[in-house]
Amino acid sequence: MSDQQVADAVRELIESYHELNAHVVDELYEEPSPLEFMRYVAKNRPFVIRSGAAYWDALKKWNADYLKEAMKAQGVNVAITNEGNADSAVETSDERLVFVEPYEREEPFSQVLDQIAGQELRGTEPRVRRYAQTQNDNLRGEYTPLFSDVPADIPFARIALEQLTGPDAINFWLGNSYSTTALHKDNYENIYVQVLGRKHFTLMPPVESACVNEQELPTARYGPKDCSSENSPDELVPDEQLRELDIKMAEGADKVPCPLWDPDVATERTSPFSHLAKPLKVTLEPGDMLYLPAMWYHKVAQSCSEEGICVAVNYWYDMDFGGSFWSLASFARSMGILASAKAATGSTPEPGT
Amino acid sequence: MSDQQVADAVRELIESYHELNAHVVDELYEEPSPLEFMRYVAKNRPFVIRSGAAYWDALKKWNADYLKEAMKAQGVNVAITNEGNADSAVETSDERLVFVEPYEREEPFSQVLDQIAGQELRGTEPRVRRYAQTQNDNLRGEYTPLFSDVPADIPFARIALEQLTGPDAINFWLGNSYSTTALHKDNYENIYVQVLGRKHFTLMPPVESACVNEQELPTARYGPKDCSSENSPDELVPDEQLRELDIKMAEGADKVPCPLWDPDVATERTSPFSHLAKPLKVTLEPGDMLYLPAMWYHKVAQSCSEEGICVAVNYWYDMDFGGSFWSLASFARSMGILASAKAATGSTPEPGT
């Protein structure tokens, strides 16, 4: 076959999807039944339930004071970055693109909240940016004192997805407008609930994988510039020393696949198919609940409440790798990478894993 | 990219699907709820409900005499072929492969049934083979006298698929063991119910499209050898003149895509991927109900009741072209055709429509 035939098939995939699917995130005003939810899962299409979580205790109770009172100085993991860019592609000083993970450490919750809110309310460029975003089932771990304010699971999802023991993870998120989650995808069915402030989602379906210019990048991690022995292991490096975090390359040769295209900077770092993408936008207000289907690419920006914080909770349910969806979506991704590499550079890398 | 990389991706698609899906048609023993059914639709996986239709009037009442009494001499469309091979690839005398449709005409129902049963019970090679298999919603047309013996729809499917006006078509099938339906696929969610005799299904999922060696074939139709004016238009050509039907090429240059691979003759007419296929086999006994998911390839052979007939009913519900499934499955099919053509012949045909 010719490269052109493969590129034509990739283009046809993306265009036929757009012809067959409305360019909109469905808006519901009450929770779907398990069957109604399963129809969305079957189509792998998102929806938002406006005010779907408005009745939760968290929506009624949570504010800065309540959260600090409940959590006190409980240590929580916080991601610290220069640019609010945890887990994203960053250009190093020697012009290499690397996938950078945040500097992570444990800090007392009330201090984390004050720092995040303080940065936001001062409105000046922060020194470093903090985002409590562990995604390790933290609401049933570090944040246990807050867990009783949210449901232990989402019944329509538990029933539809036959996950009778509940979600695989429930995560608490605390950040401000200086942090953005870069475009990525997860192998989970995701129910995302906004509590304080607003989240601005940009969503792209798995059939658009050829548009995101996914490349294999070496991994690195932010770290304090000065790791001298001035501080004992148990003592926190003071913020002064965090003013500019260094990018420290990971040991070993591991690479990870990472989308380079940013739908909000559409003409840069493009793949030959980026111009075909039609990203969906949806903003979650407090109380809104989003179904973010498995394998959808998503970029997430934040706006804060008047207290200077943005707080959300999400439920990850295991996706079903059986049936045809995962296999077909993975195939489309592999072909998109092959077709992009050929068209862009003439090189022929192996598709990422 | 190299052709080898594309072929590797196609192989990986088929192999990952097999790793993630059991090589079996699920067996249920009672009707699923709409939600349970929707889970199968979401996975695009078949199941059979053993005795799922045993309570239907059709299962209690239908036999050769009852059918003839109900239908009498009502004219019905019957497909007539040499080899029991309606709608399949046939090699012509000049060694061309063509897609041959059956000779179709209207005959009195009771005569059709007697001919089909008579051939079966005599056990000799029949002259020509008849199969009443119109697939044009015939149970609500020609076969209306029998319609009240079956449900007007399948509730779990109607509710799950949100098709409140019922199925798109309900079809009645009457044949014998001399006719086989060649491997093909339909863009319908199919509920298939066996009433008399048995049906032997061979099933292949859409991800195996690269295995079926789909080619664009010119179309033709069986017709009586002698179409002289001996018979008036209203008079049936007698069976003697049908002894050997001719293959008559269709006017115009229309071609249709047709799988050439027969899973029961696995080493012939192969594509480079046929050896990767793992066709599923399931036999429907009287009263069994099969969910045959949209876009699955299926070949269907028949065994007869002791009266020498095989009778079934099926319900076609419109499939959902939205979401990602149809677009992704069509993409996989196009890539399979491209990869097969290159590997097999070095030629690069356009994928079929």
Side-chain angles (χ1 to χ4, degrees):
Chain A
M1 74 219 78
S2 71
D3 293 336
Q4 188 59 49
Q5 284 177 308
V6 176
D8 286 348
V10 171
R11 181 180 43 71
E12 169 65 19
L13 164 64
I14 298 165
E15 291 181 346
S16 80
Y17 182 86
H18 290 152
E19 281 166 23
L20 292 163
N21 290 279
H23 184 59
V24 69
V25 175
D26 279 4
E27 287 197 330
L28 314 183
Y29 295 92
E30 53 187 9
E31 282 195 11
S33 71
L35 172 58
E36 288 167 329
F37 177 62
M38 200 62 211
R39 290 193 193 112
Y40 279 93
V41 175
K43 295 186 8 161
N44 189 244
R45 289 287 297 180
F47 61 78
V48 60
I49 313 170
R50 295 298 181 193
S51 300
Y55 67 91
W56 290 14
D57 283 349
L59 269 294
K60 297 171 187 160
K61 293 182 180 176
W62 289 5
N63 56 43
D65 283 345
Y66 177 88
L67 294 173
K68 287 195 284 185
E69 177 59 27
M71 290 288 292
K72 298 197 172 67
Q74 161 79 40
V76 297
N77 179 293
V78 61
I80 307 179
T81 60
N82 280 345
E83 309 280 344
N85 53 349
D87 300 335
S88 68
V90 173
E91 199 172 312
T92 61
S93 53
D94 57 349
E95 296 186 352
R96 280 202 304 166
L97 272 178
V98 296
F99 178 80
V100 181
E101 296 180 282
Y103 176 49
E104 289 183 47
R105 65 181 190 185
E106 196 174 291
E107 294 183 350
F109 176 81
S110 41
Q111 179 184 317
V112 171
L113 190 147
D114 284 339
Q115 282 172 312
I116 286 173
Q119 287 179 327
E120 185 75 22
L121 296 175
R122 282 194 304 274
T124 54
E125 275 290 300
R127 231 169 242 180
V128 291
R129 310 181 187 194
R130 283 177 168 75
Y131 195 1
Q133 52 126 31
T134 339
Q135 302 164 65
N136 62 353
D137 198 25
N138 64 17
L139 248 175
R140 294 186 289 201
E142 294 168 344
Y143 295 90
T144 299
L146 299 174
F147 183 46
S148 60
D149 293 336
V150 302
D153 70 21
I154 307 295
F156 65 76
R158 178 195 70 226
I159 296 166
L161 302 173
E162 277 191 298
Q163 296 186 11
L164 304 185
T165 57
D168 192 64
I170 309 176
N171 302 309
F172 175 90
W173 307 70
L174 166 66
N176 63 22
S177 69
Y178 292 102
S179 289
T180 297
T181 303
L183 197 67
H184 72 288
K185 63 181 167 54
D186 304 304
N187 284 337
Y188 285 104
E189 306 290 1
N190 194 346
I191 305 288
Y192 203 101
V193 173
Q194 192 62 25
V195 181
L196 296 169
R198 295 185 293 161
K199 282 262 164 85
H200 312 281
F201 281 81
T202 305
L203 304 175
M204 296 172 62
V207 300
E208 289 186 345
S209 58
C211 308
V212 307
N213 195 16
E214 198 167 283
Q215 306 272 349
E216 297 280 312
L217 298 186
T219 57
R221 189 176 279 282
Y222 279 116
K225 242 189 177 31
D226 186 345
C227 275
S228 69
S229 55
E230 286 173 33
N231 309 99
S232 78
D234 292 337
E235 200 178 333
L236 291 184
V237 178
D239 263 27
E240 290 65 38
Q241 270 176 267
L242 298 179
R243 180 180 286 267
E244 286 223 12
L245 295 165
D246 270 343
I247 291 174
K248 304 182 181 196
M249 299 305 297
E251 305 278 321
D254 277 1
K255 291 191 169 191
V256 296
C258 178
L260 299 192
W261 189 58
D262 180 344
D264 295 318
V265 192
T267 57
E268 293 181 19
R269 288 190 192 161
T270 56
S271 86
F273 304 99
S274 298
H275 66 285
L276 299 173
K278 295 188 175 182
L280 300 176
K281 301 268 187 186
V282 62
T283 289
L284 301 194
E285 306 284 342
D288 288 349
M289 180 185 287
L290 173 70
Y291 166 52
L292 173 55
M295 299 183 79
W296 274 61
Y297 295 91
H298 49 292
K299 175 184 176 178
V300 192
Q302 311 179 65
S303 308
C304 288
S305 72
E306 57 190 17
E307 293 186 308
I309 54 177
C310 183
V311 173
V313 170
N314 88 292
Y315 295 73
W316 266 342
Y317 288 88
D318 290 330
M319 73 171 286
D320 195 339
F321 290 87
S324 65
F325 172 68
W326 190 86
S327 297
L328 284 171
S330 300
F331 174 70
R333 174 173 166 270
S334 295
M335 292 309 308
I337 290 171
L338 282 175
S340 298
K342 180 60 184 179
T345 68
S347 72
T348 56
E350 290 295 310
T353 53
Chain B
M1 75 220 76
S2 72
D3 294 336
Q4 189 58 49
Q5 284 177 308
V6 176
D8 286 348
V10 171
R11 181 181 43 71
E12 170 64 19
L13 164 65
I14 298 165
E15 291 181 346
S16 80
Y17 182 86
H18 291 151
E19 281 166 22
L20 292 164
N21 290 279
H23 184 59
V24 68
V25 176
D26 279 3
E27 287 197 330
L28 313 182
Y29 295 93
E30 53 188 9
E31 282 194 12
S33 71
L35 172 59
E36 289 167 328
F37 177 61
M38 200 62 212
R39 291 194 193 112
Y40 280 93
V41 175
K43 295 186 9 159
N44 189 245
R45 289 288 297 181
F47 62 79
V48 60
I49 313 169
R50 295 298 181 194
S51 301
Y55 66 93
W56 290 13
D57 282 350
L59 269 293
K60 297 170 185 160
K61 292 181 179 176
W62 288 5
N63 56 44
D65 283 345
Y66 178 88
L67 294 173
K68 286 195 285 186
E69 177 59 28
M71 289 288 293
K72 299 197 172 68
Q74 160 78 41
V76 298
N77 179 293
V78 60
I80 306 178
T81 60
N82 280 345
E83 309 281 344
N85 53 348
D87 299 333
S88 68
V90 174
E91 197 172 314
T92 61
S93 53
D94 57 350
E95 295 185 353
R96 280 201 303 165
L97 273 179
V98 296
F99 178 81
V100 181
E101 296 179 282
Y103 176 49
E104 288 183 46
R105 66 182 190 184
E106 195 173 293
E107 295 183 351
F109 177 81
S110 43
Q111 179 184 315
V112 171
L113 189 147
D114 285 340
Q115 282 171 314
I116 286 173
Q119 286 179 328
E120 185 74 22
L121 296 175
R122 281 194 305 274
T124 54
E125 275 290 300
R127 232 169 240 180
V128 291
R129 309 182 186 193
R130 284 178 167 77
Y131 195 0
Q133 51 126 34
T134 339
Q135 303 164 66
N136 62 352
D137 198 25
N138 63 18
L139 248 176
R140 294 186 289 201
E142 294 168 344
Y143 294 91
T144 299
L146 300 173
F147 183 47
S148 60
D149 294 336
V150 302
D153 70 21
I154 307 295
F156 66 77
R158 179 195 70 225
I159 296 166
L161 303 172
E162 278 192 296
Q163 297 187 9
L164 304 186
T165 57
D168 192 65
I170 309 177
N171 301 309
F172 175 90
W173 307 71
L174 167 65
N176 63 23
S177 68
Y178 292 104
S179 288
T180 296
T181 303
L183 197 67
H184 73 287
K185 64 181 165 55
D186 303 304
N187 285 337
Y188 286 104
E189 305 290 1
N190 195 346
I191 304 289
Y192 203 103
V193 173
Q194 191 62 25
V195 182
L196 295 169
R198 294 184 294 161
K199 282 261 164 86
H200 312 281
F201 281 82
T202 304
L203 304 175
M204 296 171 62
V207 300
E208 289 186 345
S209 58
C211 308
V212 306
N213 195 18
E214 198 167 282
Q215 306 272 350
E216 298 279 313
L217 297 185
T219 57
R221 188 176 278 283
Y222 279 116
K225 244 191 175 31
D226 186 344
C227 276
S228 70
S229 54
E230 287 172 33
N231 308 100
S232 78
D234 293 337
E235 199 178 335
L236 292 183
V237 178
D239 263 26
E240 291 65 40
Q241 270 176 269
L242 297 179
R243 179 180 288 266
E244 287 223 11
L245 294 165
D246 270 344
I247 290 175
K248 304 183 181 198
M249 298 306 295
E251 305 278 322
D254 277 0
K255 291 191 169 191
V256 295
C258 177
L260 299 192
W261 189 59
D262 180 342
D264 295 319
V265 192
T267 57
E268 293 180 20
R269 287 189 191 162
T270 56
S271 86
F273 305 99
S274 297
H275 66 286
L276 299 173
K278 295 189 175 182
L280 300 176
K281 301 269 188 184
V282 62
T283 289
L284 302 194
E285 305 285 341
D288 289 349
M289 180 185 287
L290 173 69
Y291 166 53
L292 174 54
M295 299 182 80
W296 274 61
Y297 294 90
H298 50 290
K299 174 184 176 179
V300 193
Q302 312 181 64
S303 306
C304 289
S305 71
E306 58 190 15
E307 294 186 309
I309 53 176
C310 184
V311 173
V313 170
N314 88 292
Y315 296 71
W316 265 341
Y317 288 88
D318 290 330
M319 73 172 285
D320 195 338
F321 291 87
S324 65
F325 172 67
W326 190 86
S327 297
L328 283 171
S330 299
F331 174 71
R333 174 173 165 270
S334 296
M335 292 309 308
I337 290 170
L338 282 175
S340 298
K342 180 61 184 180
T345 68
S347 71
T348 56
E350 291 294 310
T353 50

